[in-house]
Amino acid sequence: EGAIEANPARRIKTPKPKQREPKATSLADFLALLRTTHGGSLADVRDRTILLFLADTGCRVGGLCGLDVGDLDIPHGLALVREKGSKSRYVPFNPPTAEALSDWLAVRPQGQGPAVFVSLSTSRKGRLQPGGVGQMLRRRAEQAGVSGPVNPHAFRHFFAREFLLSGGDLASLADLMG
């Protein structure tokens, strides 16, 4: 209205947005989770393989749970994962993950279908479900004393962060993550 010549609001500083907590599993938490799988039990072998596969491929938990033995090309370090309905893609994995997959397939209970990862519960035979992976991660996190995020999706963020920190570019990351 022209009553004042200067704008009194120009001295007001805008508040800084809150820094969001990173959603990724930390490297220290990942290593602590892996240490909980050094026993020789069937669950230890399976869970170690799941942890390595999630961290090494960046695949979604649905892709992990939908993985069939025929989808693995262990010598070439490739797995065909199906995610988000009918979308499929190949994900590469490193030798430690290949070794873990070989170890798991050598002891994996037979007669539960083609699934790579099966439930070890006596009441729920067959393909491991996403909820079972979440339960396993919570159980392992409690064993390891981990308080950071360890849900399956946090491993996708972990993969992405480690890829970029290792010198990867965003376009390649987008392709790898589907």
Side-chain angles (χ1 to χ4, degrees):
E1 296 177 9
I4 318 176
E5 289 184 24
N7 179 0
R10 70 175 161 71
R11 293 187 311 238
I12 298 175
K13 293 182 181 172
T14 57
K16 290 183 180 178
K18 289 183 180 179
Q19 290 288 344
R20 289 178 43 187
E21 187 86 16
K23 297 180 208 171
T25 299
S26 72
L27 181 58
D29 286 351
F30 172 67
L31 294 174
L33 290 169
L34 273 181
R35 280 192 292 275
T36 69
T37 66
H38 285 305
S41 75
L42 204 55
D44 288 335
V45 176
R46 183 199 65 183
D47 296 353
R48 178 178 183 74
T49 306
I50 289 171
L51 289 168
L52 288 170
F53 193 84
L54 285 173
D56 200 14
T57 64
C59 82
R60 293 173 177 87
V61 69
L64 173 107
C65 292
L67 203 58
D68 288 339
V69 174
D71 297 331
L72 296 175
D73 182 355
I74 293 175
H76 293 104
L78 289 173
L80 178 65
V81 295
R82 289 167 198 80
E83 300 173 333
K84 292 190 157 199
S86 61
K87 292 184 182 179
S88 63
R89 63 188 169 97
Y90 283 96
V91 294
F93 51 84
N94 291 315
T97 303
E99 184 179 337
L101 281 164
S102 293
D103 292 347
W104 167 243
L105 292 176
V107 297
R108 176 181 152 269
Q110 299 302 307
Q112 295 196 43
V116 171
F117 298 107
V118 295
S119 174
L120 300 177
S121 168
T122 54
S123 62
R124 293 195 75 137
K125 294 285 183 194
R127 188 176 297 276
L128 185 63
Q129 298 299 311
V133 175
Q135 285 178 344
M136 178 275 290
L137 290 173
R138 284 189 294 278
R139 188 175 58 251
R140 294 286 177 181
E142 190 175 314
Q143 277 181 302
V146 168
S147 59
V150 292
N151 61 70
H153 199 72
F155 279 84
R156 276 179 64 81
H157 290 279
F158 172 79
F159 170 81
R161 183 188 64 220
E162 295 300 314
F163 181 82
L164 293 173
L165 289 175
S166 298
D169 63 284
L170 286 173
S172 298
L173 178 62
D175 286 342
L176 286 170
M177 295 188 74

